[in-house]
Amino acid sequence: MLAFGAVNSPLAQPRNLVGGHFLSSLVGVGFGMFLPDVTWLAACLAVATAIAVMHLSKTLHPPGGATALIAVTGGEGIRQLGWWFPFVPCLTGALIMLAVALVFNNIPRNRRWPLFWW
C-alpha cells in the first residue's frame, strides 16, 4: 500500500520496501526457530525486534512487522520453508512489488518515484 498510495513517504522508498521486508523476515524466522513451542512469545519478540532492526538499519517499513509476525505464526507451510522464507517469498515478492511500483508510479507525469534509492 505504501509504495502505491503514499509514494512521498520515506517509509515507501525502495530501501525501506525491500530491506524492511527482508530483514523482518530474517528476524521472524530466527525467533520462530528459537522458540518453536512458545508462539505467542516468539511472535511478540519477532515483531519488536524487527521494528528495532528496521530502525537501526534505516529500513523502517511498517508492513515489515507483519512479515516478522507471519514468519512465526504463518503455519506449518511457512515453518517448513525455514531460512528460505526470507528469500522466497519475502525478498522475491518485495522485488516484484518494487518493479511494479516503478512502472505504475512513473506513468503519471506529475509523479516521480522513488524519491531516493538508498
Side-chain angles (χ1 to χ4, degrees), residues 27-111:
V27 170
V29 169
F31 276 105
M33 289 183 166
F34 181 65
L35 297 168
D37 299 324
V38 194
T39 305
W40 68 269
L41 181 58
C44 294
L45 291 171
V47 173
T49 305
I51 292 168
V53 167
M54 288 187 288
H55 268 291
L56 289 171
S57 63
K58 295 183 169 77
T59 59
L60 185 63
H61 185 66
T67 301
L69 182 63
I70 290 167
V72 174
T73 64
E76 191 56 32
I78 300 292
R79 192 174 299 253
Q80 286 182 356
L81 287 172
W83 291 107
W84 280 104
F85 179 73
F87 297 96
V88 179
C90 294
L91 181 60
T92 306
L95 291 172
I96 291 169
M97 200 174 345
L98 172 64
V100 172
L102 276 170
V103 172
F104 179 81
N105 287 325
N106 288 301
I107 291 173
R109 294 182 195 269
N110 64 342
R111 186 186 261 186

Side-chain angles (χ1 to χ4, degrees), residues 1-47:
M1 187 329 234
L2 289 175
F4 298 95
V7 296
N8 293 325
S9 170
L11 307 179
Q13 303 309 306
R15 174 186 67 203
N16 301 72
L17 170 67
V18 176
H21 280 297
F22 183 66
L23 293 174
S24 295
S25 65
L26 289 170
V27 170
V29 169
F31 276 105
M33 289 183 166
F34 181 65
L35 297 168
D37 299 324
V38 194
T39 305
W40 68 269
L41 181 58
C44 294
L45 291 171
V47 173

